[in-house]
Amino acid sequence: MSQHRTSRPRPSASMLIAGALIFILAVVTVVGALTAYQFPEPVTEQAEKTDLLYQAVLAISFFVFFGVTAGIIFAIFRYRRRPGDPLPEQIHGSDKLEFTWTVIPILILIGLFVPSLLLVIDLKTPPDANEIDLTVEAIGHQWWWEFDYPDDGVKVQTTPPNYDDLQPPVLVLPVGQDIVIKVRSTDVIHSFYAPNTLYKIQAVPGNINELHLKITKAGIYTGQCYQFCGLRHSDMRFVIDARSEADYEAWLREAKATQGTVPEQKQLAETQ
């Protein structure tokens, strides 16, 4: 005796449309999170920590975005009112649901606040003086950057550049060393920022703001003033040239020879 299988009801056309829209939403969400919303490649230890925290925040944000939007799409097609349908039962709400969707965001915010606070403290706390390998001064002018290596007597771009053939000043830094950059301005407010460092700091007249970093990858990285500071703001660019320690030392010797700074003579003058 044969048994007939119970056939499952086919989904309605409206639910197929809802499923297709939710699938498209999922694809757009994932692709967007992995492309348009990604930071530039981090090249410092501090930037890697910032990027790690950002990825966690991004994942939570897109998960919530997808869940809420997909739920709205499902509700629109599944529970839409048709002509002749009676009004649905009116209820006040569910205390359990309201408690749940209040507590969960609070827990998420606390979970993100703690690592964010620790990261900010780390970014704002420079290494001890005996741990600093290099100190550089970044001085903002209208409209160019000047770089000063005070411990070595080397300066880069002390006068305005040729804006008709603009060559951005180069800040040469060693890889794998603790570096402190002291940022200040001689005129208006500027902003020192290289995207691959994931850290921006203001250059304020009368103040010295500090940032510290340890570069992990050698390479050429662009930077610019990110605070509108006048007519040639867009020309206020610079380049970070991150080199191995040996290449950096070779550049430093060449720069000292070019600028007439000899370490032995400098030390002798300081002792007299």
Side-chain angles (χ1 to χ4, degrees):
M1 186 175 179
S2 61
Q3 295 181 351
H4 296 284
R5 294 183 179 178
T6 303
S7 59
R8 296 181 179 179
R10 293 183 178 181
S12 63
S14 61
M15 291 309 299
L16 290 175
I17 295 174
L21 291 177
I22 291 174
F23 176 77
I24 294 172
L25 173 68
V27 173
V28 172
T29 301
V30 172
V31 172
L34 297 178
T35 56
Y37 286 88
Q38 288 297 307
F39 276 153
E41 179 188 11
V43 297
T44 69
E45 287 186 356
Q46 292 75 16
E48 290 171 356
K49 295 177 182 178
T50 301
D51 184 66
L52 181 62
L53 177 62
Y54 173 76
Q55 296 301 331
V57 175
L58 187 70
I60 294 173
S61 300
F62 272 85
F63 179 80
V64 173
F65 164 76
F66 173 77
V68 172
T69 308
I72 292 174
I73 293 174
F74 176 81
I76 289 174
F77 285 88
R78 174 64 178 83
Y79 299 106
R80 65 192 180 96
R81 187 183 178 191
R82 295 172 177 81
D85 288 347
L87 286 175
E89 180 184 357
Q90 304 299 301
I91 59 175
H92 175 70
S94 170
D95 292 339
K96 292 182 179 179
L97 286 177
E98 292 181 0
F99 178 80
T100 301
W101 64 52
T102 300
V103 171
I104 291 179
I106 292 175
L107 295 177
I108 292 175
L109 290 176
I110 293 175
L112 294 177
F113 170 78
V114 174
S116 299
L117 177 62
L118 295 177
L119 178 61
V120 170
I121 293 175
D122 178 65
L123 293 175
K124 293 297 184 180
T125 306
D128 295 335
N130 58 350
E131 296 177 350
I132 298 174
D133 299 306
L134 174 65
T135 299
V136 182
E137 295 181 4
I139 306 165
H141 306 270
Q142 288 183 305
W143 291 272
W144 81 95
W145 289 103
E146 174 187 351
F147 302 121
D148 184 7
Y149 299 73
D151 296 332
D152 299 296
V154 173
K155 296 179 181 291
V156 177
Q157 197 68 62
T158 58
T159 58
N162 179 8
Y163 292 107
D164 294 329
D165 183 22
L166 185 61
Q167 299 295 326
V170 180
L171 176 60
V172 182
L173 299 175
V175 172
Q177 295 190 10
D178 286 308
I179 303 168
V180 170
I181 302 178
K182 297 183 177 181
V183 182
R184 60 185 176 90
S185 171
T186 61
D187 35 55
V188 299
I189 296 177
H190 302 285
S191 184
F192 182 86
Y193 179 54
N196 292 95
T197 65
L198 304 186
Y199 194 89
K200 180 174 65 174
I201 192 167
Q202 299 292 85
V204 181
N207 290 331
I208 297 178
N209 294 326
E210 294 186 1
L211 69 92
H212 64 281
L213 50 86
K214 178 181 284 188
I215 301 175
T216 58
K217 299 177 183 178
I220 304 296
Y221 310 107
T222 59
Q224 187 172 355
C225 173
Y226 267 66
Q227 177 73 42
F228 181 73
C229 54
L231 295 177
R232 288 194 175 274
H233 163 70
S234 60
D235 292 328
M236 198 168 171
R237 295 176 282 139
F238 64 93
V239 173
I240 293 180
D241 184 356
R243 303 186 178 188
S244 66
E245 187 173 351
D247 288 343
Y248 171 78
E249 292 296 334
W251 170 83
L252 190 60
R253 288 193 298 270
E254 181 180 352
K256 289 178 178 179
T258 302
Q259 298 186 18
T261 301
V262 181
E264 291 79 9
Q265 294 178 350
K266 180 183 178 183
Q267 292 176 1
L268 181 61
E270 291 175 348
T271 57
Q272 292 180 346

